[in-house]
Amino acid sequence: MVHLKNYADTEDIFQNVFLKYVLSSVSFENEEHEKAWFIRVTINACKDLLKSFFRTRTISIDEIVEQPTALQPDNREVLEAVLSLPAKYKDVVYLYYYEGYSVPQISRILRKNVNTVYTLLTRSKKLLRDKL
């Protein structure tokens, strides 16, 4: 929590570190060595997440809605256009551009065919282009 300041990201890192632990074949000399390994792997995972492309280039939709004065007019227009889309388009746009999910992940989340998600993304881009 100290590094990430976000409960959901902290839980993700926690799971990733323990998954690495379970899958690793590292033999530890003693409990102190094991503790040091956990600390180092956790810190590195936090740093990797903080410097990831997605993390540095996006802003969550919650922050946009909470702080509308920090938006530039163009960004506000885009957000309003996205929020005015029909739900099936808005969902895929949000998951793809704001949350950073891949199309196969979105297809599993929404329980839709991968090609359907691609089609919805294409159609939503066209709708946004027409609105903007």
Side-chain angles (χ1 to χ4, degrees):
M1 278 299 288
V2 171
H3 283 291
L4 302 175
K5 297 173 181 57
N6 180 330
Y7 187 74
D9 289 340
T10 304
E11 285 182 339
D12 289 344
I13 294 296
F14 180 80
Q15 287 180 343
N16 289 340
V17 169
F18 275 97
L19 182 63
K20 283 182 186 179
Y21 174 71
V22 170
L23 297 176
S24 75
S25 59
V26 177
S27 59
F28 300 104
E29 298 168 6
N30 54 35
E31 286 185 24
E32 287 299 315
H33 182 223
E34 187 175 22
K35 181 180 176 182
W37 183 90
F38 271 108
I39 291 170
R40 187 76 262 161
V41 169
T42 303
I43 289 171
N44 288 341
C46 290
K47 286 180 180 179
D48 289 344
L49 180 68
L50 290 172
K51 68 182 179 183
S52 71
F53 177 81
F54 172 75
R55 182 84 175 208
T56 59
R57 300 285 195 276
T58 59
I59 183 169
S60 77
I61 199 158
D62 295 332
E63 292 176 27
I64 292 173
V65 173
E66 289 173 4
Q67 301 174 5
T69 57
L71 292 175
Q72 299 172 355
D74 294 339
N75 292 340
R76 189 174 298 131
E77 286 180 47
V78 172
L79 176 62
E80 288 173 3
V82 168
L83 293 176
S84 70
L85 290 173
K88 64 182 180 179
Y89 299 122
K90 184 175 16 180
D91 292 342
V92 294
V93 168
Y94 176 76
L95 291 171
Y96 188 77
Y97 289 105
Y98 289 92
E99 292 295 325
Y101 287 106
S102 67
V103 171
Q105 290 172 323
I106 295 170
S107 73
R108 285 191 300 274
I109 292 168
L110 298 178
R111 295 190 176 124
K112 294 182 188 255
N113 187 320
V114 173
N115 289 333
T116 304
V117 175
Y118 279 118
T119 301
L120 291 171
L121 275 172
T122 303
R123 289 178 183 170
S124 63
K125 287 180 200 175
K126 183 181 181 323
L127 288 171
L128 287 171
R129 207 174 294 119
D130 293 344
K131 287 183 182 198
L132 297 172

